[in-house]
């Protein structure tokens, strides 16, 4: 007798929850990683090329995503980028302002990413997507409260192979080209994978992928002749004085007289070095922003100290001062101080920093941070373009934060500036990356406008930058020092300076056209489905 063994199928064990969850987390994790790669491409790291895989990854994350998903993924990418990039904003005031600003900027990026997801369905999508990113940067640079251009992709490209494009179309074209190349890399990888999988690959798709990668590189090479550091109008021997501050952080301002005395002492030391033959005699001297937070027009002792230093060095000197009129707002002012005639001209900073130099929505912001009351009296903006004639040398003036704004720098060159001065005060932000991020902006501006840029900073890093973007001299942070260098003077205009905001306008129009095309296609598809 034989026995029959009956087997009963056991129900299969349910898949571990982690296996179900992981596929849902891949794109969010990749979104954060793409933002982190964008951050890592910025100074002080010399890793500008990380921006390319960063955008390739972002393109993959957003491809054909629906609006809600793209907004969420874009927000994650924006936070991955902006949270570490803007960490310095909370250096002395805690995490609330930092988190608020980073989140606000990330929300702008999220909206831009939704637009990128929408145009990713179009033919030649990398072109449309790069234009949408550039439009997003243009909006962030203008609203709210005058905008906040920090984090513009162009500002991470100071050492990049793409940098010559800044001379052709300014920071908008530079950003567009870099983003286009990153998205083009993704499309190239896709076409290679399809071919390896044996799927038919249309020739037009291959050509489009190749062009979106190659065109930015070829354009950058073609723009190289625009980068010129020759001294068209001779040279000027320029001294940049870094007097240093008595302490780091926001409280450095409580010792305003010490800051002024430091700059007076370092200028007098430079004068002694010139007399002893240790240093060249400067044709002009630049002090940083806030080098005299005592108003020399209202404080005779401050005026006497500045007068003593300027006469000792015997050259016209640009003094960064805070003016405190009896009524009205404060003024962040650069003063042209002549050794014979004293103060003879002024420039008031035009782009003043919201929540730093003036406080919008003061009562509302106080709910979140009592540091709002550190700004007890608001600064007001100036209206006149800053160009000083210092013994025949025309110097374009851009005060600190203004270096982030295209129009502020461009205006000084169009008004005759033969080189650009960026007096700055970074002591508030300690030893953070802020100084290096801002210095990179000045390198990009040098190439964009074909001008040398001299950056005197209260606490460092002060620097002399050639018109080709090369830093030839720089100081250490939180030391007293002075840089003296022969700066090439130039009067020709690059295409970027001459074209002004036109490249940005063309790219914005391209983005709008792409988004409009998507909308029309969507409407037609719905009508067809309704039939």
């Amino acid at each position: 007798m034989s026995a029959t063994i009956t087997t009963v199928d056991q129900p299969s064990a349910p898949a571990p929850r982690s296996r179900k969850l992981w596929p849902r987390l891949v794109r969010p994790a990749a979104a954060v990683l793409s933002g982190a790669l964008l951050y890592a491409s910025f100074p002080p790291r010399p890793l500008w090329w990380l921006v390319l895989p960063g955008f390739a990854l972002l393109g993959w994350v957003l491809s054909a995503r629906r609006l809600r998903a793209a907004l969420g993924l874009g927000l994650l990418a924006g936070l991955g980028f902006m949270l570490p990039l803007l960490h310095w904003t909370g250096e002395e005031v805690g995490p609330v302002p930092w988190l608020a600003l980073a989140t606000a900027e990330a929300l702008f990026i999220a909206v831009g990413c939704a637009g990128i997801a929408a145009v990713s369905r179009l033919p030649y999508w990398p072109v449309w997507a790069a234009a949408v990113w550039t439009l997003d940067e243009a909006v962030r640079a203008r609203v709210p409260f005058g905008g906040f251009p920090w984090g513009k992709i162009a500002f991470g490209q100071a050492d990049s192979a793409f940098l010559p494009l800044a001379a052709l179309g300014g920071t908008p074209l530079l950003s567009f080209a870099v983003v286009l190349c990153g998205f083009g890399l993704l499309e190239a990888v896709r076409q290679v994978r399809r071919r390896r999988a044996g799927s038919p690959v249309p020739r037009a798709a291959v050509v489009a992928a190749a062009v979106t990668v190659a065109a930015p590189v070829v354009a950058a090479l073609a723009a190289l002749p625009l980068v010129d550091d020759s001294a068209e109008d001779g040279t000027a021997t320029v001294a940049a004085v870094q007097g240093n501050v008595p302490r780091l952080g926001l409280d450095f301002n409580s010792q305003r007289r010490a800051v002024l005395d430091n700059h007076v002492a370092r200028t007098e030391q430079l004068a002694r070095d010139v007399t002893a033959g240790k240093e060249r005699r400067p044709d002009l001297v630049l002090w940083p922003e806030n080098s005299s937070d005592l108003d020399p027009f209202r404080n005779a002792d401050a005026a006497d100290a500045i007068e003593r230093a300027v006469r000792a060095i015997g050259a016209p000197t640009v003094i960064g001062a805070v003016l405190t009129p009896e009524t009205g707002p404060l003024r962040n002012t650069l003063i042209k101080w002549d050794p014979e005639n004293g103060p003879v001209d002024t420039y008031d900073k035009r782009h003043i920093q919201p929540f730093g130099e003036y406080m919008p929505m003061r009562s509302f912001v106080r709910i979140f941070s009592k540091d709002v009351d550190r700004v007890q009296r608001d600064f007001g903006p100036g209206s006149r373009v800053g160009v000083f004639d210092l013994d025949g040398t025309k110097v374009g003036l851009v005060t600190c934060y203004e270096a982030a704004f295209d129009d502020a720098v461009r205006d000084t060159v169009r008004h005759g500036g033969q080189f650009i001065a960026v007096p700055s005060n970074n002591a508030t932000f300690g030893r953070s990356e802020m100084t290096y991020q801002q210095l990179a902006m000045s390198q990009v501006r040098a190439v964009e406008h074909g001008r040398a840029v001299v950056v005197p900073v209260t606490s460092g890093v002060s620097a002399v930058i050639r018109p080709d973007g090369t830093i030839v001299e720089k100081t250490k942070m939180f030391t007293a020092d002075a840089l003296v260098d022969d700066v090439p003077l130039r009067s020709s205009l690059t295409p970027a300076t001459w074209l002004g905001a036109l490249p940005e306008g063309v790219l914005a129009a391209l983005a709008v056209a792409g988004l409009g095309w998507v909308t029309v296609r969507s409407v037609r598809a719905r009508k067809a489905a309704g039939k």
Side-chain angles (χ1 to χ4, degrees):
M1 186 172 84
S2 62
T4 303
I5 301 175
T6 304
T7 59
V8 179
D9 291 337
Q10 298 294 325
S12 58
R17 190 173 181 180
S18 60
R19 288 186 183 178
K20 292 182 178 180
L21 187 61
W22 174 242
R24 298 181 182 179
L25 295 179
V26 170
R27 284 186 188 268
V32 175
L33 178 58
S34 69
L37 288 172
L38 300 188
Y39 158 69
S41 72
F42 273 69
R45 292 159 296 279
L47 303 175
W48 61 266
W49 50 270
L50 284 177
V51 74
L52 301 178
F55 275 106
L57 185 58
L58 183 62
W60 175 79
V61 165
L62 297 173
S63 291
R65 295 294 98 186
R66 293 183 180 274
L67 177 62
R68 184 181 298 178
L71 281 169
L73 293 168
L75 180 60
L76 290 175
L79 291 172
F81 180 24
M82 287 295 173
L83 279 173
L85 186 78
L86 302 179
H87 185 264
W88 50 268
T89 59
E91 186 75 14
E92 292 294 328
V93 293
V96 173
W98 160 51
L99 294 174
L101 178 59
T103 301
E105 295 299 297
L107 285 170
F108 276 99
I109 291 174
V111 174
C113 286
I116 290 171
V119 300
S120 68
R121 298 175 175 88
L122 296 177
Y124 309 103
W125 73 269
V127 177
W128 306 110
V132 169
W133 182 277
T134 310
L135 172 61
D136 188 71
E137 288 191 341
V139 174
R140 283 198 293 120
R142 290 168 172 81
V143 293
F145 312 119
F148 187 73
W150 223 277
K152 207 182 242 194
I153 293 303
F155 294 149
Q157 300 294 298
D159 299 314
S160 164
F162 296 101
L163 182 58
L165 287 169
L168 181 61
T171 60
L173 180 61
L174 178 53
S175 285
F176 172 79
V178 172
V179 178
L180 175 62
C181 193
F183 287 149
L185 280 175
L186 171 63
E187 188 60 21
V189 169
R190 281 176 172 169
Q191 300 308 325
V192 169
R193 291 187 65 186
R194 285 173 186 165
R195 186 155 193 163
R196 287 182 176 177
S199 301
V201 180
R203 181 176 297 178
V206 175
V207 171
V211 168
T212 52
V213 174
V217 177
V218 172
L221 291 173
L224 269 173
L226 298 175
V227 182
D228 183 2
D229 68 348
S230 61
E232 295 174 334
D233 304 325
T235 62
T237 304
V238 180
V241 174
Q242 177 177 305
N244 202 15
V245 298
R247 61 167 67 98
L248 281 66
L250 290 172
D251 289 335
F252 85 92
N253 231 15
S254 64
Q255 294 192 19
R256 293 179 294 172
R257 183 53 197 257
V259 176
L260 172 59
D261 287 344
N262 285 354
H263 286 83
V264 168
R266 192 60 189 83
T267 303
E268 290 176 332
Q269 177 62 52
L270 176 61
R272 289 192 292 272
D273 291 343
V274 169
T275 301
K278 297 178 182 178
E279 194 57 87
R280 288 164 291 174
R281 180 172 297 280
D283 298 313
L284 57 100
V285 179
L286 303 173
W287 282 18
E289 175 191 36
N290 300 146
S291 46
S292 176
D293 275 350
L294 291 170
D295 184 346
F297 297 116
R298 293 171 60 85
N299 293 272
D301 57 338
D304 289 344
I306 294 169
E307 186 79 24
R308 187 174 71 247
V310 174
R311 286 188 175 179
I313 197 64
T317 302
V318 177
I319 308 294
V322 173
L323 302 191
T324 57
E326 290 187 7
T327 60
L330 303 173
R331 297 287 174 176
N332 190 335
T333 300
L334 299 177
I335 305 171
K336 173 185 172 181
W337 206 291
D338 186 83
E340 300 297 329
N341 302 309
V344 293
D345 201 358
T346 60
Y347 165 67
D348 293 334
K349 186 177 182 180
R350 293 182 293 157
H351 287 273
I352 56 175
Q353 185 180 353
F355 305 102
E357 291 174 303
Y358 77 100
M359 192 61 61
M361 307 184 302
R362 184 180 289 268
S363 58
F364 175 74
V365 175
R366 190 180 290 111
I367 297 172
F368 302 96
S369 175
K370 298 215 173 141
D371 283 313
V372 65
D373 294 319
R374 287 179 181 269
V375 182
Q376 296 178 359
R377 185 177 175 187
D378 288 342
F379 282 80
S383 58
R384 185 170 63 91
V385 176
V387 178
F388 284 169
D389 187 328
L390 302 176
D391 277 359
T393 297
K394 291 186 176 180
V395 183
L397 304 169
V398 180
T399 306
C400 196
Y401 178 63
E402 292 185 308
F405 292 86
D406 292 347
D407 63 328
V409 186
R410 182 171 60 239
D411 286 350
T412 67
V413 178
R414 283 185 163 182
H415 281 71
Q418 294 172 296
F419 80 90
I420 300 167
V422 187
S424 302
N425 173 26
N426 300 338
T428 301
F429 306 108
R431 299 183 182 275
S432 69
E433 293 183 357
M434 180 269 183
T435 288
Y436 301 100
Q437 293 171 10
Q438 189 181 56
L439 185 60
M441 290 180 194
S442 293
Q443 290 179 263
V444 173
R445 297 304 187 193
V447 173
E448 182 179 13
H449 299 294
R451 295 292 186 272
V453 181
V454 181
V455 187
V457 186
T458 49
S459 55
V461 173
S462 302
V464 178
I465 304 167
R466 287 285 183 265
D468 63 359
T470 304
I471 298 175
V472 291
E473 283 196 74
K474 66 179 181 179
T475 65
K476 295 180 180 178
M477 295 184 75
F478 294 99
T479 58
D481 206 345
L483 303 177
V484 181
D485 195 67
D486 291 329
V487 171
L489 305 179
R490 295 175 55 81
S491 55
S492 63
L493 301 183
T494 64
T497 310
W498 182 75
L499 291 170
L502 181 60
E504 185 177 55
V506 170
L507 293 170
L510 182 64
V512 172
L515 293 170
W517 187 5
V518 169
T519 303
V520 170
R521 285 179 53 162
S522 177
V523 170
R524 286 178 177 174
R526 288 178 183 176
K527 285 183 178 180
K531 291 180 181 179

